[in-house]
Amino acid sequence: MKTIQRIAGRPSEISAGMTVRRALPTRQRRMVGAWCFLDHLGPLQFDAGQGMHVGAHPHTALQTFTWLIEGEVLHRDSLGSEQVIRPGQVNLMTAGRGIVHSEDTLAEVRRLHAAQLWIALPASAADCPPAFAHYPELPRWQQGNCLVTLLAGTFAGRTMAARFHSPLVGLDLFAPVACRTELPLEPDFEYAILPLTGEMLLDGERFGADEFAWLGRRRSPIVIEQSAGSRLLLLGGEPFAEPVHMWWNFVGHSRQAIIDAQRDWETGSPRFGSVAGRETRLPAPPLPWSAD
Ligand code: MN
């Protein structure tokens, strides 16, 4: 039996006073298929007048994927999109050659719980036109006592409507009562599971919230035991064949692509545009390498 790698989500401050747990990338694992970034936000409690406010910032060569569990967040972007996302919904923003967006919890929101992920675009799609899509309804079903939501890809004969650029899957597994679920997995996908709340047992090993369990490939079927009230995020995908660079909010297929994106952001190039009503632009930290 192959062992399951246990990776502790690391604290990361995404805006003033707001710390999240980052499960990807880490030193141990950079990606699960094309999934290259995973922040677990909350559950967080806000005082009146507080909230999450992430100013306008750019992205390239990736899709941002937001899964909202509690709270309400307003997404705005340089395409003119303005979309409130609510619990049970997904926002998918394709950055392609370049986009800018901001994210703000609505004024009355006191609790926020969400997962924010990025999906690396393969080189063939890295420069595609930017796009934004909102998915108010996702495929949901019950397997035994587990409530399954299909967040991305195809699973158990169901397909989530969004377009992705490489084979991948995402599932939310919620256990209203303690339950044991057997799931068939694709033999050629690699998989990992992040408990968002509560805990799970995999092969007799216990994983608590924010302990990322890396399963790798050829492990089908898996048997997951969940504690009552627990919620898990299962990610999978075909191992990403291309080396990708990540820096700040950029993905690129070469170091030069990242250097160009950072220069274009810093010089206010029309490549990125701006977000109407959200004038605060987040500054990029200095590049970790010298630009030629
Ligand atoms: Mn972003």
Side-chain angles (χ1 to χ4, degrees), residues 16-17 45-53 105-111:
Q45 198 79 40
F46 299 123
D47 294 330
Q50 301 299 305
M52 178 185 76
H53 298 287
T105 44
L106 299 190
E108 62 275 19
V109 167
R110 292 290 172 271
R111 267 177 76 83

Side-chain angles (χ1 to χ4, degrees), residues 23-100:
L24 281 175
T26 62
R27 234 176 330 103
Q28 296 98 318
R29 293 285 168 192
R30 309 268 310 152
M31 301 175 81
V32 180
W35 300 100
C36 63
F37 180 93
L38 168 52
D39 268 359
H40 178 206
L41 288 64
L44 289 159
Q45 198 79 40
F46 299 123
D47 294 330
Q50 301 299 305
M52 178 185 76
H53 298 287
V54 182
H57 61 279
H59 289 290
T60 56
L62 59 85
Q63 293 177 296
T64 64
F65 181 103
T66 307
W67 166 231
L68 203 75
I69 299 159
E70 276 187 85
E72 289 177 300
V73 178
L74 173 63
H75 159 95
R76 286 185 280 199
D77 66 40
S78 50
L79 300 172
S81 318
E82 263 202 48
Q83 179 69 55
V84 174
I85 182 172
R86 299 193 162 87
Q89 302 182 337
V90 159
N91 277 353
L92 182 70
M93 184 180 80
T94 303
R97 71 172 79 99
I99 198 167
V100 183

